[in-house]
């Protein structure tokens, strides 16, 4: 029985399947596109200013406070406990959303949703700790694709239930709670990883060495499987490391400190590359702006077409946006381009398009124009973040990529928090939603300007270098070889 469990856990299909089922149910939230209409409906009876300036900012603050410690604890606890914690946080969030009332209660909801988003790193990192490297590509594809499929289905289902069946937002949230409960149950079936990227990356090797030593020291039948030896020979199971081996093993505190020091060194080396530095800069700046727009887009839609007097098509728009994002992300893999040369130019051009879409949403009074601007905005961002992910990951190990991914998102969250405190929070400027989107438009215009100028500088520099190399390769005439000084003077003049 123990051998069968080990074989099932080591098989890449089983943990991938369970994780995909978990990912499907935790992304299957048909109520999410209708959060703002639900909060401002008579059932919750909150004003749009309370939702915008007092409730939504709490998510940003809690996410920032929890992201870094959760990132480290996730790796130290080996992912599965954090996935279970995410399931618990989901259930608490939606229970409060269904039955609690008032501004303070909704702020608590946003705090727990910050916990949900902070623990999301466990979902994407878990699979790499339980499968072998040759299955990384397939498993990653399945786990990411299932979330896009679930988000699309949830948005379409929510829109159909609201528009055709006239289901209330309360029951949409009840359906979401049922889906999240199923995800929570699925999380218990995930095999417990034996390693992690940072704190436990050598544990499997140490266990293997101990098993080999134990096998060599025991007398057993040559036909007996070594993986079940400990089940059959209790003496070998009690065999522990010698006092010398125990002295060589690092203490937990010193080991954790060494890991943290190594992480800081790796991070410094990663950002010493100018290419990675600029791509990470775009990642942090654009992700901060994107999350800010995503957090408050429903408020803008409700301002343009109030939900209590207009038909709401948020679910349909989110479904189309998710589909377009998947298509653009997939298309990047088939585009043959020198991203080292033209990548930053693409960042500048598409960031300009993002700024234009946000300006459109600010100045137009037409809800359909707002919807169209959002679709283009999200598709452009997903296209660029896919390119940035590839450019950062292509020359890094899995551990360093995970480290840069986490730190870039942390920087993005710091920038987003600054935007929230200054622009949105009632204790800051507390601006109205139209003025907020004017600021977000200008923010993306600045990002576009930075990378357009940078890309032009890179292209001009490359052109100059090629010209210099071409001139240097040209042979000098006999007159130019009269003296060394004259030769140096001629080359200096040409350069």
């Amino acid at each position: 029985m123990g051998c069968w469990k080990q074989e099932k856990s080591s098989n890449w299909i089983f943990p991938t399947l369970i994780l995909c089922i978990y990912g499907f149910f935790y992304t299957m939230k048909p109520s999410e596109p209708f959060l703002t209409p639900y909060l401002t409906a008579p059932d919750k009876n909150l004003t749009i200013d309370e939702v915008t300036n007092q409730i939504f900012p709490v998510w940003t603050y809690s996410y920032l406070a929890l992201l870094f410690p959760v990132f480290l604890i996730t790796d130290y606890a080996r992912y599965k406990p954090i996935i279970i914690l995410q399931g618990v946080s989901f259930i608490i969030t939606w229970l409060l959303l269904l039955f609690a009332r008032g501004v303070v209660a909704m702020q608590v909801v946003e705090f727990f949703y910050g916990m949900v988003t902070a623990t999301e790193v466990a979902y994407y990192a878990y699979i790499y700790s339980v499968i072998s490297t040759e299955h990384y590509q397939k498993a990653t594809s399945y786990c990411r694709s299932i979330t896009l499929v679930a988000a699309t289905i949830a948005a379409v289902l929510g829109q159909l239930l609201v528009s055709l069946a006239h289901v209330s937002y309360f029951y949409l949230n009840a359906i979401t709670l049922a889906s999240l409960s199923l995800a929570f149950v699925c999380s218990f079936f995930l095999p417990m990883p034996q390693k992690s990227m940072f704190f436990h990356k050598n544990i499997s090797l140490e266990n293997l060495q101990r098993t080999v030593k134990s096998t060599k020291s025991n007398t057993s039948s040559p036909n007996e499987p070594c993986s079940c030896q400990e089940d059959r020979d209790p003496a070998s199971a009690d065999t522990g490391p010698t006092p010398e081996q125990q002295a060589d093993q690092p203490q937990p505190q010193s080991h954790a400190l060494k890991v943290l020091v190594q992480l800081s060194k790796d991070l410094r080396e990663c950002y010493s590359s100018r290419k990675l530095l600029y791509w990470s800069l775009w990642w942090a700046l654009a992700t901060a702006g994107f999350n800010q727009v995503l957090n408050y887009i429903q408020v803008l839609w409700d301002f343009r077409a109030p939900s209590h007097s207009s038909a709401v098509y948020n679910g349909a728009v989110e479904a189309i946006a998710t589909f377009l994002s998947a298509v653009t992300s997939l298309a990047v893999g088939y585009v043959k381009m020198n991203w080292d040369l033209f990548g930053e130019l693409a960042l500048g051009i598409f960031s300009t398009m993002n700024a234009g879409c946000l300006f459109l949403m600010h100045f137009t009074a037409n809800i359909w124009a707002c919807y169209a601007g959002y679709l283009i905005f999200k598709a452009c961002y997903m296209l660029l973040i896919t390119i940035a992910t590839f450019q950062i990951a292509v020359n890094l190990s899995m551990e360093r990529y995970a480290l840069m991914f986490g730190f870039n998102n942390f920087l993005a969250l710091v920038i987003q928090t600054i935007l929230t405190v200054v622009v949105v929070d009632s204790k800051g400027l507390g601006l109205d939603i139209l003025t907020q989107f004017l600021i977000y438009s200008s923010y993306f215009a600045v990002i576009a300007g930075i990378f357009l100028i940078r890309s032009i500088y890179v292209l001009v520099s490359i052109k100059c270098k090629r010209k210099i190399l071409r001139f240097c390769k040209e042979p000098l005439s006999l007159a130019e070889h009269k003296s060394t000084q004259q030769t140096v003077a001629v080359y200096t003049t040409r350069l």
Side-chain angles (χ1 to χ4, degrees), residues 416-461:
Q416 185 185 352
T417 302
I418 295 172
L419 283 172
T420 302
V421 170
V422 175
V423 176
V424 183
D425 200 308
S426 57
K427 295 179 181 178
L429 295 177
L431 300 175
D432 62 272
I433 193 64
L434 285 182
T435 309
Q436 286 182 38
F437 268 78
L438 179 61
I439 292 174
Y440 304 151
S441 308
S442 305
Y443 175 83
F444 271 93
V446 171
I447 296 175
I450 291 172
F451 284 93
L452 284 175
I453 294 171
R454 164 70 185 166
S455 62
I456 292 171
Y457 171 76
V458 169
L459 292 174
V460 171
S461 300

Short mmCIF file of all heavy atoms in Angstrom, two decimals, residues 416-461:
data_model
loop_
_atom_site.label_atom_id
_atom_site.label_comp_id
_atom_site.label_asym_id
_atom_site.label_seq_id
_atom_site.Cartn_x
_atom_site.Cartn_y
_atom_site.Cartn_z
N GLN A 416 1.87 50.54 -6.80
CA GLN A 416 0.41 50.59 -6.77
C GLN A 416 -0.10 51.15 -5.44
O GLN A 416 -1.09 51.90 -5.41
CB GLN A 416 -0.16 49.19 -7.00
CG GLN A 416 -1.68 49.16 -7.11
CD GLN A 416 -2.23 47.75 -7.22
OE1 GLN A 416 -1.48 46.80 -7.36
NE2 GLN A 416 -3.54 47.62 -7.17
N THR A 417 0.58 50.80 -4.35
CA THR A 417 0.18 51.32 -3.04
C THR A 417 0.35 52.83 -2.99
O THR A 417 -0.51 53.55 -2.44
CB THR A 417 1.00 50.65 -1.93
OG1 THR A 417 0.81 49.23 -2.00
CG2 THR A 417 0.58 51.14 -0.56
N ILE A 418 1.44 53.32 -3.55
CA ILE A 418 1.66 54.78 -3.60
C ILE A 418 0.54 55.45 -4.39
O ILE A 418 -0.01 56.48 -3.98
CB ILE A 418 3.04 55.09 -4.20
CG1 ILE A 418 4.15 54.56 -3.28
CG2 ILE A 418 3.21 56.59 -4.43
CD1 ILE A 418 5.53 54.64 -3.88
N LEU A 419 0.19 54.86 -5.55
CA LEU A 419 -0.91 55.41 -6.35
C LEU A 419 -2.21 55.41 -5.55
O LEU A 419 -2.98 56.38 -5.58
CB LEU A 419 -1.09 54.59 -7.63
CG LEU A 419 -0.10 54.82 -8.77
CD1 LEU A 419 -0.32 53.78 -9.87
CD2 LEU A 419 -0.23 56.22 -9.34
N THR A 420 -2.46 54.32 -4.84
CA THR A 420 -3.70 54.21 -4.07
C THR A 420 -3.77 55.23 -2.95
O THR A 420 -4.79 55.89 -2.74
CB THR A 420 -3.84 52.78 -3.50
OG1 THR A 420 -3.80 51.83 -4.57
CG2 THR A 420 -5.13 52.62 -2.74
N VAL A 421 -2.66 55.36 -2.21
CA VAL A 421 -2.63 56.30 -1.08
C VAL A 421 -2.84 57.73 -1.56
O VAL A 421 -3.63 58.50 -0.98
CB VAL A 421 -1.30 56.17 -0.31
CG1 VAL A 421 -1.15 57.30 0.70
CG2 VAL A 421 -1.22 54.83 0.40
N VAL A 422 -2.15 58.10 -2.64
CA VAL A 422 -2.19 59.48 -3.11
C VAL A 422 -3.48 59.79 -3.86
O VAL A 422 -4.14 60.81 -3.62
CB VAL A 422 -0.97 59.78 -4.01
CG1 VAL A 422 -1.06 61.19 -4.60
CG2 VAL A 422 0.32 59.63 -3.21
N VAL A 423 -3.90 58.89 -4.76
CA VAL A 423 -4.97 59.20 -5.70
C VAL A 423 -6.34 58.76 -5.19
O VAL A 423 -7.33 59.49 -5.32
CB VAL A 423 -4.67 58.55 -7.07
CG1 VAL A 423 -5.82 58.79 -8.05
CG2 VAL A 423 -3.37 59.11 -7.64
N VAL A 424 -6.43 57.57 -4.60
CA VAL A 424 -7.72 56.93 -4.35
C VAL A 424 -8.19 57.10 -2.91
O VAL A 424 -9.35 57.47 -2.66
CB VAL A 424 -7.66 55.43 -4.71
CG1 VAL A 424 -9.03 54.79 -4.50
CG2 VAL A 424 -7.18 55.23 -6.14
N ASP A 425 -7.33 56.80 -1.96
CA ASP A 425 -7.74 56.72 -0.56
C ASP A 425 -8.36 58.04 -0.09
O ASP A 425 -7.90 59.13 -0.43
CB ASP A 425 -6.52 56.37 0.31
CG ASP A 425 -6.93 55.81 1.65
OD1 ASP A 425 -7.74 56.44 2.34
OD2 ASP A 425 -6.45 54.71 2.01
N SER A 426 -9.40 57.89 0.71
CA SER A 426 -10.09 59.08 1.23
C SER A 426 -9.19 59.89 2.16
O SER A 426 -9.41 61.09 2.35
CB SER A 426 -11.36 58.65 2.00
OG SER A 426 -11.03 57.75 3.04
N LYS A 427 -8.16 59.26 2.72
CA LYS A 427 -7.20 59.99 3.56
C LYS A 427 -6.16 60.72 2.73
O LYS A 427 -5.40 61.53 3.26
CB LYS A 427 -6.53 59.03 4.54
CG LYS A 427 -7.49 58.41 5.54
CD LYS A 427 -6.79 57.44 6.47
CE LYS A 427 -7.78 56.81 7.45
NZ LYS A 427 -7.13 55.82 8.35
N GLY A 428 -6.08 60.37 1.42
CA GLY A 428 -5.23 61.10 0.50
C GLY A 428 -6.04 62.13 -0.24
O GLY A 428 -6.82 62.88 0.34
N LEU A 429 -5.86 62.16 -1.58
CA LEU A 429 -6.64 63.11 -2.38
C LEU A 429 -8.09 62.68 -2.53
O LEU A 429 -8.98 63.52 -2.66
CB LEU A 429 -5.99 63.27 -3.77
CG LEU A 429 -4.59 63.89 -3.78
CD1 LEU A 429 -4.04 63.92 -5.21
CD2 LEU A 429 -4.61 65.29 -3.19
N GLY A 430 -8.35 61.36 -2.53
CA GLY A 430 -9.72 60.86 -2.66
C GLY A 430 -10.41 61.36 -3.91
O GLY A 430 -11.56 61.80 -3.86
N LEU A 431 -9.73 61.25 -5.06
CA LEU A 431 -10.25 61.81 -6.31
C LEU A 431 -11.41 60.98 -6.84
O LEU A 431 -11.53 59.78 -6.56
CB LEU A 431 -9.13 61.87 -7.35
CG LEU A 431 -7.92 62.74 -6.98
CD1 LEU A 431 -6.85 62.62 -8.05
CD2 LEU A 431 -8.34 64.19 -6.80
N ASP A 432 -12.25 61.60 -7.66
CA ASP A 432 -13.34 60.88 -8.29
C ASP A 432 -12.79 59.97 -9.38
O ASP A 432 -11.63 60.10 -9.81
CB ASP A 432 -14.36 61.86 -8.89
CG ASP A 432 -13.74 62.73 -9.97
OD1 ASP A 432 -13.18 63.80 -9.63
OD2 ASP A 432 -13.78 62.33 -11.14
N ILE A 433 -13.62 59.05 -9.85
CA ILE A 433 -13.14 57.99 -10.74
C ILE A 433 -12.66 58.52 -12.08
O ILE A 433 -11.70 58.00 -12.66
CB ILE A 433 -14.25 56.91 -10.93
CG1 ILE A 433 -13.67 55.65 -11.59
CG2 ILE A 433 -15.41 57.46 -11.74
CD1 ILE A 433 -12.64 54.95 -10.77
N LEU A 434 -13.27 59.58 -12.61
CA LEU A 434 -12.84 60.13 -13.88
C LEU A 434 -11.44 60.74 -13.77
O LEU A 434 -10.59 60.53 -14.65
CB LEU A 434 -13.83 61.19 -14.36
CG LEU A 434 -15.16 60.68 -14.94
CD1 LEU A 434 -16.02 61.84 -15.41
CD2 LEU A 434 -14.90 59.72 -16.09
N THR A 435 -11.19 61.48 -12.71
CA THR A 435 -9.87 62.07 -12.51
C THR A 435 -8.82 60.98 -12.29
O THR A 435 -7.68 61.09 -12.74
CB THR A 435 -9.89 63.03 -11.31
OG1 THR A 435 -10.97 63.95 -11.46
CG2 THR A 435 -8.59 63.80 -11.22
N GLN A 436 -9.21 59.92 -11.60
CA GLN A 436 -8.29 58.79 -11.41
C GLN A 436 -7.84 58.23 -12.75
O GLN A 436 -6.64 58.00 -12.98
CB GLN A 436 -8.98 57.69 -10.60
CG GLN A 436 -9.15 57.99 -9.13
CD GLN A 436 -9.79 56.84 -8.39
OE1 GLN A 436 -9.51 55.67 -8.67
NE2 GLN A 436 -10.64 57.15 -7.43
N PHE A 437 -8.79 58.01 -13.66
CA PHE A 437 -8.42 57.42 -14.94
C PHE A 437 -7.62 58.39 -15.81
O PHE A 437 -6.83 57.96 -16.65
CB PHE A 437 -9.66 56.91 -15.66
CG PHE A 437 -9.95 55.46 -15.35
CD1 PHE A 437 -10.54 55.11 -14.15
CD2 PHE A 437 -9.60 54.46 -16.23
CE1 PHE A 437 -10.78 53.78 -13.84
CE2 PHE A 437 -9.83 53.13 -15.93
CZ PHE A 437 -10.43 52.78 -14.73
N LEU A 438 -7.79 59.68 -15.61
CA LEU A 438 -6.93 60.64 -16.30
C LEU A 438 -5.50 60.50 -15.81
O LEU A 438 -4.54 60.55 -16.61
CB LEU A 438 -7.45 62.06 -16.05
CG LEU A 438 -6.64 63.20 -16.70
CD1 LEU A 438 -6.64 63.05 -18.22
CD2 LEU A 438 -7.19 64.56 -16.28
N ILE A 439 -5.33 60.29 -14.50
CA ILE A 439 -3.99 60.10 -13.94
C ILE A 439 -3.39 58.78 -14.43
O ILE A 439 -2.20 58.72 -14.78
CB ILE A 439 -4.06 60.14 -12.40
CG1 ILE A 439 -4.40 61.56 -11.94
CG2 ILE A 439 -2.74 59.68 -11.78
CD1 ILE A 439 -4.62 61.70 -10.46
N TYR A 440 -4.20 57.71 -14.48
CA TYR A 440 -3.68 56.43 -14.97
C TYR A 440 -3.28 56.53 -16.44
O TYR A 440 -2.28 55.91 -16.87
CB TYR A 440 -4.74 55.33 -14.79
CG TYR A 440 -5.24 55.16 -13.37
CD1 TYR A 440 -6.52 54.69 -13.11
CD2 TYR A 440 -4.43 55.48 -12.29
CE1 TYR A 440 -6.99 54.54 -11.81
CE2 TYR A 440 -4.88 55.34 -10.99
CZ TYR A 440 -6.17 54.88 -10.75
OH TYR A 440 -6.63 54.74 -9.46
N SER A 441 -4.03 57.29 -17.22
CA SER A 441 -3.68 57.50 -18.63
C SER A 441 -2.32 58.19 -18.74
O SER A 441 -1.46 57.77 -19.53
CB SER A 441 -4.75 58.35 -19.32
OG SER A 441 -6.03 57.82 -19.12
N SER A 442 -2.14 59.24 -17.96
CA SER A 442 -0.87 59.98 -17.96
C SER A 442 0.27 59.09 -17.48
O SER A 442 1.40 59.17 -17.98
CB SER A 442 -0.99 61.22 -17.08
OG SER A 442 -2.08 62.02 -17.47
N TYR A 443 -0.03 58.24 -16.52
CA TYR A 443 0.97 57.30 -15.98
C TYR A 443 1.50 56.38 -17.08
O TYR A 443 2.72 56.21 -17.25
CB TYR A 443 0.33 56.51 -14.85
CG TYR A 443 1.18 55.41 -14.25
CD1 TYR A 443 2.13 55.69 -13.27
CD2 TYR A 443 1.02 54.09 -14.64
CE1 TYR A 443 2.89 54.68 -12.70
CE2 TYR A 443 1.78 53.08 -14.09
CZ TYR A 443 2.72 53.38 -13.12
OH TYR A 443 3.47 52.37 -12.58
N PHE A 444 0.59 55.80 -17.86
CA PHE A 444 1.02 54.92 -18.95
C PHE A 444 1.68 55.71 -20.08
O PHE A 444 2.55 55.18 -20.78
CB PHE A 444 -0.17 54.11 -19.48
CG PHE A 444 -0.37 52.81 -18.77
CD1 PHE A 444 -1.23 52.72 -17.69
CD2 PHE A 444 0.33 51.68 -19.15
CE1 PHE A 444 -1.40 51.53 -17.00
CE2 PHE A 444 0.16 50.47 -18.47
CZ PHE A 444 -0.71 50.39 -17.40
N ALA A 445 1.30 56.97 -20.26
CA ALA A 445 1.98 57.81 -21.25
C ALA A 445 3.44 58.03 -20.86
O ALA A 445 4.33 58.03 -21.73
CB ALA A 445 1.24 59.15 -21.39
N VAL A 446 3.69 58.21 -19.57
CA VAL A 446 5.07 58.36 -19.09
C VAL A 446 5.86 57.07 -19.32
O VAL A 446 7.01 57.11 -19.77
CB VAL A 446 5.08 58.74 -17.59
CG1 VAL A 446 6.50 58.68 -17.02
CG2 VAL A 446 4.50 60.13 -17.40
N ILE A 447 5.24 55.91 -19.02
CA ILE A 447 5.91 54.63 -19.28
C ILE A 447 6.25 54.50 -20.76
O ILE A 447 7.37 54.11 -21.13
CB ILE A 447 5.01 53.45 -18.84
CG1 ILE A 447 4.79 53.48 -17.32
CG2 ILE A 447 5.63 52.11 -19.25
CD1 ILE A 447 3.81 52.44 -16.83
N ALA A 448 5.28 54.84 -21.63
CA ALA A 448 5.52 54.76 -23.08
C ALA A 448 6.66 55.68 -23.48
O ALA A 448 7.54 55.28 -24.28
CB ALA A 448 4.24 55.14 -23.82
N GLY A 449 6.70 56.90 -22.93
CA GLY A 449 7.78 57.83 -23.27
C GLY A 449 9.14 57.31 -22.86
O GLY A 449 10.11 57.41 -23.62
N ILE A 450 9.22 56.73 -21.66
CA ILE A 450 10.50 56.19 -21.18
C ILE A 450 11.04 55.14 -22.14
O ILE A 450 12.21 55.18 -22.54
CB ILE A 450 10.33 55.60 -19.77
CG1 ILE A 450 10.07 56.71 -18.75
CG2 ILE A 450 11.56 54.78 -19.36
CD1 ILE A 450 9.69 56.19 -17.37
N PHE A 451 10.19 54.21 -22.55
CA PHE A 451 10.68 53.09 -23.35
C PHE A 451 10.79 53.43 -24.83
O PHE A 451 11.60 52.82 -25.54
CB PHE A 451 9.81 51.86 -23.11
CG PHE A 451 10.09 51.22 -21.78
CD1 PHE A 451 9.37 51.56 -20.65
CD2 PHE A 451 11.12 50.31 -21.65
CE1 PHE A 451 9.65 51.00 -19.42
CE2 PHE A 451 11.42 49.74 -20.42
CZ PHE A 451 10.68 50.09 -19.31
N LEU A 452 10.05 54.40 -25.31
CA LEU A 452 10.26 54.87 -26.68
C LEU A 452 11.61 55.57 -26.79
O LEU A 452 12.37 55.34 -27.75
CB LEU A 452 9.13 55.80 -27.11
CG LEU A 452 7.79 55.14 -27.47
CD1 LEU A 452 6.73 56.20 -27.75
CD2 LEU A 452 7.96 54.22 -28.68
N ILE A 453 11.92 56.44 -25.84
CA ILE A 453 13.22 57.12 -25.83
C ILE A 453 14.35 56.12 -25.68
O ILE A 453 15.37 56.18 -26.38
CB ILE A 453 13.26 58.17 -24.70
CG1 ILE A 453 12.25 59.29 -24.99
CG2 ILE A 453 14.66 58.74 -24.54
CD1 ILE A 453 12.06 60.26 -23.84
N ARG A 454 14.15 55.17 -24.77
CA ARG A 454 15.17 54.14 -24.55
C ARG A 454 15.39 53.30 -25.82
O ARG A 454 16.53 53.00 -26.20
CB ARG A 454 14.74 53.25 -23.38
CG ARG A 454 15.46 51.93 -23.23
CD ARG A 454 16.88 52.08 -22.81
NE ARG A 454 17.54 50.77 -22.79
CZ ARG A 454 18.84 50.59 -22.70
NH1 ARG A 454 19.64 51.63 -22.62
NH2 ARG A 454 19.36 49.39 -22.69
N SER A 455 14.32 52.91 -26.50
CA SER A 455 14.44 52.07 -27.70
C SER A 455 15.12 52.84 -28.84
O SER A 455 15.95 52.28 -29.57
CB SER A 455 13.07 51.57 -28.15
OG SER A 455 12.23 52.65 -28.49
N ILE A 456 14.79 54.13 -28.98
CA ILE A 456 15.45 54.94 -30.01
C ILE A 456 16.94 55.06 -29.71
O ILE A 456 17.78 54.95 -30.62
CB ILE A 456 14.79 56.34 -30.08
CG1 ILE A 456 13.36 56.20 -30.61
CG2 ILE A 456 15.60 57.28 -30.96
CD1 ILE A 456 12.55 57.47 -30.51
N TYR A 457 17.28 55.26 -28.46
CA TYR A 457 18.68 55.33 -28.05
C TYR A 457 19.42 54.02 -28.38
O TYR A 457 20.54 54.04 -28.91
CB TYR A 457 18.77 55.62 -26.57
CG TYR A 457 20.17 55.50 -25.99
CD1 TYR A 457 21.12 56.49 -26.21
CD2 TYR A 457 20.53 54.38 -25.24
CE1 TYR A 457 22.40 56.37 -25.69
CE2 TYR A 457 21.80 54.25 -24.73
CZ TYR A 457 22.74 55.25 -24.95
OH TYR A 457 24.01 55.11 -24.44
N VAL A 458 18.78 52.88 -28.09
CA VAL A 458 19.41 51.58 -28.37
C VAL A 458 19.61 51.40 -29.86
O VAL A 458 20.69 50.98 -30.31
CB VAL A 458 18.54 50.44 -27.79
CG1 VAL A 458 19.04 49.10 -28.30
CG2 VAL A 458 18.56 50.47 -26.27
N LEU A 459 18.59 51.71 -30.67
CA LEU A 459 18.70 51.53 -32.12
C LEU A 459 19.77 52.44 -32.72
O LEU A 459 20.54 52.03 -33.59
CB LEU A 459 17.34 51.80 -32.78
CG LEU A 459 16.24 50.78 -32.46
CD1 LEU A 459 14.91 51.23 -33.05
CD2 LEU A 459 16.60 49.40 -32.99
N VAL A 460 19.82 53.69 -32.25
CA VAL A 460 20.85 54.62 -32.75
C VAL A 460 22.23 54.15 -32.33
O VAL A 460 23.20 54.21 -33.12
CB VAL A 460 20.57 56.05 -32.22
CG1 VAL A 460 21.75 56.97 -32.53
CG2 VAL A 460 19.30 56.60 -32.85
N SER A 461 22.38 53.67 -31.10
CA SER A 461 23.67 53.17 -30.62
C SER A 461 24.14 51.99 -31.45
O SER A 461 25.32 51.91 -31.82
CB SER A 461 23.57 52.77 -29.15
OG SER A 461 23.21 53.87 -28.36
#
